[in-house]
Amino acid sequence: MPLRPVSANSSSSILPLLKGCKTIRDLNQIHTHIIHRGCEQDHHLIAHFISICAAAQPANVRYPTAAFNAVTTPNIYLWNILMKAHCENASLGECFALFSRMRRESNMLPDKYTFPSLIKACSGISALREGQVVHAAAVRCGTEGDAYMGSSLIDFYGKCGEIECARKVFAEMPVRNEVSWTAMMAGCLNCGDIEAARKTFDEMPKKNDVTWNAMIKGLVKFGDLVSAKKVFDEMPVRDVVSFTTLIGGYAKAGDMAAARSMFDQMPSKDLVSWSALMSGYVQNGKPGEAVKVFGEMWAMNLKPDEFILVSLMSACAQLGSSELARWIESYIREGCYDTARAHVAAALVDMNTKCGDMARAAKLFEEMPQRDLVSYCSMIQGLCLHGRGAEAVALFYRMMDEGVRPDNVAFTVILTTCSHAGLVDEGCRIFDLMTEKYAMRPSPDHYACMVNLLGKSGRVKAAYELVQTMPMETHAGAWGALLGACRLQGDVELGEMVARRLFEVEPRNPGNYVLLSNIYAEADRWLNVSDLRDRMSEKGLRKIPGCSYLESTTPA
DNA sequence: TTAGGGTTAG
């Protein structure tokens, strides 16, 4: 932002310039100005500086903290502004460190403006114990009767699933407003208690847009689109959020025709609504449609944000188009987007691996300031996709060494990789790590990966023993994989036993009958084959014939 | 100062 000359030696001439700042670079120039003009002790100006820093990109708390540190006697207002900036942009640890510093360095008590932002920071990551500490401190400071405080606490307990605590705060509030009622209702929805949410909704003395939209969202979350649409229709005035919530609901339910129709009915659209439509197409495996929507936006001269670009990259990854991938990358570079942001960086890596440019993906991956779980998984999966199983396993170990904790998805990715690459010992070691080091309960999918892995290497008995240790009921995925392994190894006896279990849980899946039939056929047990085919006909089951591109295009 | 909509990996 170009600086105009400042005429007066006062904060009033700097303030308008400050309000126009969008990036940290702009703020850097203004800060120089503040120092140069000797306005460093101006509480009003510094407060504005801190809150604008908190909203600027890239987010950063060191800079506003430095401006704050230069103030010799900051008042409570300034402390609270800095606290809010931390709560919005720093880790919870840094927020608490600032809170301790405030208690230590100032002789002021935190007030009713200090606590809501701290509580909100705890709600954001469902940090129940930390939030309870803040709640206790707020009680000691005598701020608990405040409406903002109460609403923050209701929201916090609701988001942490502690609905009884939320109710207690709500019941004890001397004055409730729309925010506290809505937070209470959203808490019920978060805990899955639709009836209680509905009751709260009906009992509310006054509703606003946020209330109505929270109710729609809650119904969408539980897959009750009919009720969600009914509430939407009952709303006195529908805003862009109501439409977008419903678009997301239809997309989640796989009804993209309804989502598109809702989108077309919107009186006005914002970036979030465009993003909801695009990601809907991506999630429903319609990348071409997503790219078309991007084209529509492009034609309207709208500048996409990072959310939209991530969806576009995901669509491109599904299409596998290296040409589009190159275009997107150059567009992102020229548009001054922040490629270091976790979602953007991970999507870039994923897109490049799936569009065939492993070298580019690896370069982007290594250049990331910090690699998170998703980018590691994208890269591991990319290596698997390109038949580089051993490197994928090595990367998985590097991820753990870097202190990134693998989750369920990460274990599925790496176990699938081991299975594809035939890395039996590695797979078994990683499966043990999952249960022993990380104390995680493997899902049926993880068992299915292990069965595939053991089965492919001829260890069908070990696969069977593993499936028997599964704590859940007979699971079609894992047992189906075991039947496949029996066929591969020609184990008729075990195959019969496994098939019996599968026929119980999936009596109408022809695939299981066909697999067993193939096992019999390969053992020349034609009488059994014929019996099994009779059973299939009795049940009216037919296997849909498999068809490959080669078969369908080869002349007979 | 508090409550509502969209993003990534299996």
Side-chain angles (χ1 to χ4, degrees):
Chain A
M1 193 194 69
L3 280 180
R4 291 188 300 273
V6 176
S7 52
N9 183 13
S10 74
S11 67
S12 59
S13 56
I14 301 179
L15 210 49
L17 294 175
L18 191 54
K19 285 179 180 166
C21 290
K22 289 268 184 313
T23 67
I24 292 291
R25 262 180 69 181
D26 297 339
L27 284 158
N28 200 357
Q29 291 186 42
I30 300 288
H31 194 214
T32 314
H33 233 64
I34 290 173
I35 297 167
H36 188 67
R37 298 275 169 179
C39 298
E40 280 176 289
Q41 303 302 318
D42 185 326
H43 284 188
H44 184 64
L45 187 65
I46 299 300
H48 270 281
F49 183 77
I50 292 170
S51 57
I52 289 168
C53 275
Q57 287 298 330
N60 163 322
V61 286
R62 266 180 308 208
Y63 203 25
T65 306
F68 175 88
N69 290 345
V71 181
T72 38
T73 49
N75 59 12
I76 183 82
Y77 177 59
L78 220 45
W79 277 105
N80 286 338
I81 292 261
L82 186 67
M83 178 60 83
K84 188 166 183 282
H86 274 69
C87 292
E88 285 165 1
N89 298 302
S91 68
L92 201 55
E94 288 170 291
C95 299
F96 274 94
L98 182 68
F99 187 64
S100 306
R101 184 183 156 196
M102 180 178 177
R103 304 296 304 271
R104 204 172 50 240
E105 289 181 16
S106 76
N107 49 13
M108 288 164 282
L109 274 179
D111 66 4
K112 61 179 185 179
Y113 294 93
T114 318
F115 294 111
S117 42
L118 253 179
I119 290 283
K120 194 177 177 174
C122 297
S123 317
I125 54 167
S126 296
L128 179 62
R129 283 187 57 187
E130 290 83 350
Q132 284 170 324
V133 170
V134 180
H135 186 179
V139 172
R140 280 196 301 275
C141 293
T143 64
E144 60 173 339
D146 177 63
Y148 284 83
M149 193 64 228
S151 299
S152 307
L153 284 169
I154 293 165
D155 178 55
F156 162 71
Y157 284 120
K159 286 201 171 112
C160 291
E162 297 288 329
I163 198 69
E164 286 315 314
C165 296
R167 278 190 214 285
K168 190 165 180 288
V169 175
F170 184 73
E172 288 170 1
M173 275 179 88
V175 184
R176 300 179 195 105
N177 59 19
E178 288 132 86
V179 180
S180 31
W181 278 94
T182 305
M184 190 64 236
M185 185 193 81
C188 295
L189 288 168
N190 186 46
C191 297
D193 194 345
I194 299 220
E195 255 178 60
R198 190 85 220 192
K199 191 163 170 280
T200 312
F201 184 75
D202 293 337
E203 283 173 0
M204 285 174 72
K206 218 171 148 204
K207 300 177 184 69
N208 61 20
D209 285 357
V210 180
T211 319
W212 285 93
N213 291 333
M215 190 72 212
I216 295 172
K217 173 70 181 172
L219 293 166
V220 159
K221 191 179 152 198
F222 291 98
D224 188 354
L225 276 166
V226 175
S227 303
K229 179 68 166 54
K230 197 161 168 279
V231 174
F232 174 87
D233 289 334
E234 285 167 6
M235 239 181 122
V237 184
R238 291 168 279 273
D239 65 3
V240 63
V241 179
S242 338
F243 278 95
T244 309
T245 309
L246 217 46
I247 289 171
Y250 285 127
K252 197 178 137 203
D255 189 351
M256 284 314 292
R260 179 77 220 202
S261 152
M262 195 49 67
F263 182 79
D264 291 334
Q265 285 171 46
M266 289 180 80
S268 67
K269 303 167 177 80
D270 64 6
L271 282 184
V272 182
S273 24
W274 283 95
S275 169
L277 185 68
M278 262 186 82
S279 72
Y281 281 123
V282 172
Q283 283 156 24
N284 285 287
K286 293 182 171 158
E289 291 299 317
V291 175
K292 261 194 227 165
V293 174
F294 182 80
E296 284 176 50
M297 265 192 79
W298 180 265
M300 292 171 74
N301 267 329
L302 290 169
K303 188 181 177 344
D305 65 3
E306 270 110 350
F307 283 72
I308 289 165
L309 291 172
V310 167
S311 285
L312 181 66
M313 285 189 271
S314 183
C316 177
Q318 282 183 27
L319 289 167
S321 160
S322 53
E323 199 186 345
L324 182 59
R326 276 196 297 272
W327 182 86
I328 296 172
E329 258 210 75
S330 65
Y331 177 79
I332 288 176
R333 256 198 310 275
E334 282 163 26
C336 299
Y337 290 98
D338 184 7
T339 50
R341 287 181 89 167
H343 283 84
V344 179
L348 271 168
V349 170
D350 179 56
M351 177 177 75
N352 275 290
T353 67
K354 292 197 176 126
C355 295
D357 196 343
M358 279 304 284
R360 178 84 193 126
K363 186 168 184 291
L364 286 163
F365 179 75
E366 294 301 340
E367 282 172 0
M368 283 175 73
Q370 205 164 11
R371 285 153 289 274
D372 69 350
L373 181 63
V374 179
S375 49
Y376 262 112
C377 286
S378 298
M379 197 62 209
I380 290 168
Q381 207 201 164
L383 289 165
C384 171
L385 231 54
H386 289 84
R388 293 160 62 176
E391 288 169 73
V393 169
L395 194 60
F396 187 78
Y397 280 106
R398 183 180 140 196
M399 176 181 88
M400 289 188 293
D401 285 345
E402 268 193 28
V404 176
R405 186 190 159 92
D407 68 352
N408 274 320
V409 177
F411 278 109
T412 307
V413 171
I414 193 65
L415 292 175
T416 307
T417 302
C418 290
S419 173
H420 281 179
L423 299 166
V424 187
D425 294 338
E426 285 300 346
C428 293
R429 201 172 303 147
I430 290 170
F431 189 76
D432 289 342
L433 267 177
M434 180 180 186
T435 51
E436 286 159 19
K437 183 175 175 190
Y438 292 102
M440 286 166 71
R441 226 177 51 193
S443 72
D445 281 349
H446 296 128
Y447 281 105
C449 286
M450 287 307 290
V451 168
N452 272 323
L453 179 71
L454 293 166
K456 267 172 78 176
S457 65
R459 291 159 67 177
V460 190
K461 290 279 180 296
Y464 178 58
E465 281 163 19
L466 181 71
V467 168
Q468 282 184 310
T469 66
M470 277 173 69
M472 55 286 281
E473 290 291 299
T474 307
H475 185 269
W479 285 82
L482 186 56
L483 189 58
C486 290
R487 186 200 164 179
L488 208 65
Q489 301 302 322
D491 193 330
V492 181
E493 199 186 333
L494 189 59
E496 283 180 320
M497 188 161 52
V498 174
R500 266 200 301 276
R501 296 285 293 266
L502 273 167
F503 294 158
E504 280 167 29
V505 278
E506 285 190 322
R508 300 207 57 80
N509 181 354
N512 298 328
Y513 292 87
V514 173
L515 260 177
L516 183 60
S517 166
N518 289 339
I519 294 174
Y520 283 140
E522 278 155 23
D524 281 332
R525 289 171 57 167
W526 300 102
L527 203 59
N528 294 113
V529 173
S530 156
D531 276 353
L532 208 57
R533 293 212 174 141
D534 288 347
R535 275 177 70 187
M536 281 182 76
S537 319
E538 277 166 30
K539 288 175 186 285
L541 298 175
R542 272 191 65 210
K543 170 88 161 68
I544 300 153
C547 171
S548 73
Y549 179 73
L550 199 66
E551 280 168 354
S552 61
T553 53
T554 308

